[in-house]
Amino acid sequence: MDACNCEGCELRTLFFENVSTSEIEAICNLKTERAFRKGDLIISEGDEIRDFIYLKKGLVKLSKRSSNGKEQIISFALPLDFVSLLSIFSEERYNYSVTALEDSVTCNISLNEVRSLAGINGKFALNLIQKVNKATDKIILNFLEVRQKRLYGRIAYMLLYFAEKIYKSNSFDLPVSRKEIAEYIGMTAENVIRSLSDLRKDGIIRISGPHIEIIHEEKLKRISELS
Amino acid sequence: MDACNCEGCELRTLFFENVSTSEIEAICNLKTERAFRKGDLIISEGDEIRDFIYLKKGLVKLSKRSSNGKEQIISFALPLDFVSLLSIFSEERYNYSVTALEDSVTCNISLNEVRSLAGINGKFALNLIQKVNKATDKIILNFLEVRQKRLYGRIAYMLLYFAEKIYKSNSFDLPVSRKEIAEYIGMTAENVIRSLSDLRKDGIIRISGPHIEIIHEEKLKRISELS
DNA sequence: ATCAGTCCATGATAATTATCATGCAGACAT
DNA sequence: ATGTCTGCATGATAATTATCATGGACTGAT
């Protein structure tokens, strides 16, 4: 446990709740930490799935190039959300990409190790099921939520999402371009820009470049709910 | 193994691949089979999650009532797809409903049993992860696929989906109303009806009541792809 | 048999969104 | 410094989709 710095990792108790100290040591020595700069590609669609990857620090987006060549954003993930959600265990290759939106650090563990630990330690496996399940559930519920709204409501929903879930503040820098917001909510970049401008003109938010400040949270919530 | 009729179940090898005969017997004696008629509610949103449920026979829809009160269809499932996908293991209550679209039979096993088996038998747990993972992946990829298309393309995509994935034939009875199609693709019922009529007028499909016959599969595919 | 309810269907119109065009500002390489 | 690229912004217009209204067919309840 000397070269192994997992003790400080906030994910440890979450992830390794049911793993004995000796098992942790064994895994810990096999893990690799990787640092990424804002904008770096962490996983590229089509890459072979070798590692179980989770986010230790930072913010990432999961995206996929769809059949017609357009990029679509599936979700955003913070630490404590897993990055290796979809397709892991069920596919050989990633069918989505992961990109760092802020400087990020991942912790990579050989998938075979995780697999064999899960095969030996059923409690660990159950814990894993739960985490993967929760993460994918969130994505699906989010899709449903967004789908039923119209442009203006989707924008409001997204702003509230960043404020509440990602930054826990009504004042933050958008980590994504307007085009990426469009790819996330399934609209065009022009209309995203227009909606943001409208919200600004109505005095509901303040914008300067990437910086957003939500002034009338209640109004924004009403817009989000009333679609 | 006498009262236990799992041997004939096609799901057995899939599901219990890694489970010993004695373990199967133990579980098998605890399982309950339930039959449902077309239209019956199998799971109601908000129900407590007690059983691990899988579909042995039939066709079902997963749906969710969204915040504004509108019903949304998440996916359709055939046998071999699991029904207890989302929220199981991670939630206490279902956050979606399951309805039989055709006469269906489910096999219910106490979740605690499945959980404890997974805790003991890691291989079984891994198998479970894989299945759950694959099923949710499908749902997410489907959402992405549909989202990038416009009305006409979504209708074409859905028709091809039923023909290829559900009925394996270009001639079939739609198991859902036009309104439900709308809830599946995120459009209004009127526009679904209009699109179907347009496809009929263009000679691409034949319609009589719930019966659909795809005449020009190639044209339909092109419409689906070109959105 | 009648009534209420739902599904399918179509039209007219309004609302929403996409597309195309243009301009500006900043980043960056040469 | 110049040109090129990208992101942000706005307008004009076209395309798409929703909403509202109406009608016929059918089902089930009374």
Side-chain angles (χ1 to χ4, degrees):
Chain A
M1 267 247 214
D2 32 40
C4 214
N5 66 342
C6 296
E7 306 100 50
C9 178
E10 59 188 335
L11 287 165
R12 180 184 151 165
T13 48
L14 193 79
F15 189 42
F16 297 122
E17 221 171 335
N18 300 292
V19 180
S20 73
T21 311
S22 63
E23 280 171 329
I24 290 183
E25 265 188 78
I27 279 209
C28 187
N29 285 316
L30 291 165
K31 83 165 195 329
T32 322
E33 260 185 50
R34 294 213 183 134
F36 297 90
R37 299 241 158 194
K38 181 174 176 154
D40 284 353
L41 199 58
I42 297 174
I43 293 170
S44 180
E45 206 177 325
D47 280 359
E48 203 184 328
I49 302 180
R50 286 208 200 89
D51 291 341
F52 182 89
I53 302 175
Y54 66 83
L55 190 64
K56 201 169 170 181
K57 179 179 164 295
L59 176 67
V60 302
K61 69 168 182 182
L62 276 65
S63 64
K64 180 172 170 57
R65 188 164 300 282
S66 61
S67 41
N68 66 12
K70 278 184 194 158
E71 191 83 4
Q72 295 204 71
I73 293 181
I74 300 169
S75 71
F76 301 103
L78 284 173
L80 299 185
D81 293 333
F82 286 109
V83 171
S84 289
L85 297 174
L86 291 61
S87 48
I88 208 174
F89 293 116
S90 62
E91 300 289 334
E92 301 233 315
R93 293 179 176 280
Y94 288 100
N95 51 29
Y96 59 96
S97 296
V98 178
T99 311
L101 295 178
E102 294 177 356
D103 292 353
S104 297
V105 178
T106 65
C107 195
N108 300 20
I109 304 171
S110 154
L111 191 55
N112 285 333
E113 293 301 321
V114 176
R115 225 182 244 135
S116 77
L117 179 56
I120 297 164
N121 185 331
K123 288 233 173 76
F124 169 72
L126 259 183
N127 205 19
L128 204 57
I129 292 183
Q130 240 176 60
K131 299 284 179 285
V132 172
N133 232 328
K134 230 173 206 159
T136 45
D137 265 29
K138 259 196 210 165
I139 292 176
I140 292 173
L141 294 177
N142 188 60
F143 267 110
L144 291 176
E145 204 57 47
V146 168
R147 187 172 74 171
Q148 77 192 0
K149 296 182 194 303
R150 290 203 250 71
L151 172 60
Y152 214 52
R154 290 185 191 184
I155 295 288
Y157 178 80
M158 177 228 53
L159 288 174
L160 290 166
Y161 172 77
F162 277 110
E164 292 169 8
K165 303 289 167 66
I166 308 281
Y167 295 109
K168 288 149 183 63
S169 162
N170 277 343
S171 175
F172 56 89
D173 281 358
L174 272 176
V176 288
S177 68
R178 313 293 196 253
K179 184 158 157 287
E180 285 173 304
I181 295 175
E183 290 166 354
Y184 180 55
I185 65 172
M187 298 275 161
T188 59
E190 291 96 323
N191 280 328
V192 168
I193 292 168
R194 250 185 280 270
S195 296
L196 287 172
S197 297
D198 288 349
L199 287 172
R200 175 175 49 72
K201 284 172 195 156
D202 290 346
I204 297 171
I205 61 174
R206 252 197 284 273
I207 310 178
S208 68
H211 191 78
I212 298 280
E213 195 187 333
I214 298 176
I215 302 171
H216 288 297
E217 190 182 325
E218 292 315 316
K219 278 190 190 169
L220 203 56
K221 278 186 181 160
R222 231 174 301 132
I223 291 169
S224 168
E225 280 158 21
L226 299 178
S227 216
Chain B
M1 265 251 215
D2 32 40
C4 213
N5 66 342
C6 295
E7 307 100 52
C9 179
E10 59 189 336
L11 287 165
R12 179 182 153 165
T13 47
L14 192 77
F15 189 41
F16 297 121
E17 218 172 337
N18 300 292
V19 181
S20 73
T21 311
S22 64
E23 281 170 330
I24 289 183
E25 263 188 80
I27 279 210
C28 187
N29 285 318
L30 291 165
K31 83 165 197 327
T32 324
E33 261 186 47
R34 293 214 184 132
F36 297 90
R37 298 241 159 193
K38 181 175 177 151
D40 284 354
L41 199 58
I42 297 175
I43 293 170
S44 180
E45 207 175 323
D47 280 0
E48 203 185 330
I49 302 180
R50 285 210 200 86
D51 291 341
F52 182 90
I53 303 175
Y54 65 81
L55 190 64
K56 199 169 170 179
K57 178 178 164 297
L59 176 67
V60 302
K61 69 167 179 181
L62 276 64
S63 65
K64 179 171 171 55
R65 189 165 300 282
S66 62
S67 41
N68 66 12
K70 278 183 194 158
E71 191 84 3
Q72 295 204 70
I73 293 181
I74 301 169
S75 71
F76 301 103
L78 286 172
L80 300 185
D81 294 332
F82 286 109
V83 171
S84 291
L85 297 175
L86 289 58
S87 49
I88 208 176
F89 294 115
S90 62
E91 300 289 334
E92 301 234 311
R93 293 180 176 279
Y94 288 100
N95 51 28
Y96 59 97
S97 296
V98 178
T99 312
L101 295 178
E102 293 176 357
D103 291 354
S104 297
V105 178
T106 65
C107 195
N108 299 21
I109 303 171
S110 155
L111 191 54
N112 286 333
E113 294 301 323
V114 176
R115 227 183 242 133
S116 76
L117 179 57
I120 297 165
N121 186 332
K123 290 235 172 75
F124 169 72
L126 258 183
N127 205 20
L128 204 56
I129 292 183
Q130 236 175 64
K131 299 284 179 284
V132 173
N133 232 328
K134 229 172 204 158
T136 45
D137 265 28
K138 257 196 211 167
I139 292 176
I140 291 173
L141 294 177
N142 189 59
F143 267 107
L144 291 177
E145 203 58 46
V146 168
R147 187 171 76 172
Q148 77 191 0
K149 297 182 194 302
R150 291 203 249 69
L151 172 60
Y152 215 52
R154 290 184 191 184
I155 295 289
Y157 178 81
M158 177 229 56
L159 289 174
L160 290 167
Y161 172 78
F162 277 110
E164 291 168 9
K165 302 291 168 63
I166 308 280
Y167 295 108
K168 288 149 183 65
S169 161
N170 277 343
S171 176
F172 56 89
D173 280 358
L174 271 177
V176 287
S177 69
R178 313 293 197 255
K179 184 158 159 287
E180 286 173 303
I181 295 174
E183 290 166 354
Y184 179 55
I185 65 172
M187 298 276 161
T188 58
E190 292 96 322
N191 281 327
V192 168
I193 292 167
R194 252 186 278 271
S195 296
L196 286 172
S197 296
D198 287 349
L199 286 173
R200 176 177 48 72
K201 283 171 195 158
D202 290 347
I204 297 171
I205 61 172
R206 251 195 283 272
I207 310 177
S208 69
H211 191 77
I212 298 281
E213 194 186 333
I214 297 175
I215 302 172
H216 287 297
E217 191 181 325
E218 292 315 316
K219 278 190 190 170
L220 204 55
K221 278 187 181 160
R222 231 174 301 133
I223 291 169
S224 168
E225 281 158 21
L226 299 180
S227 213

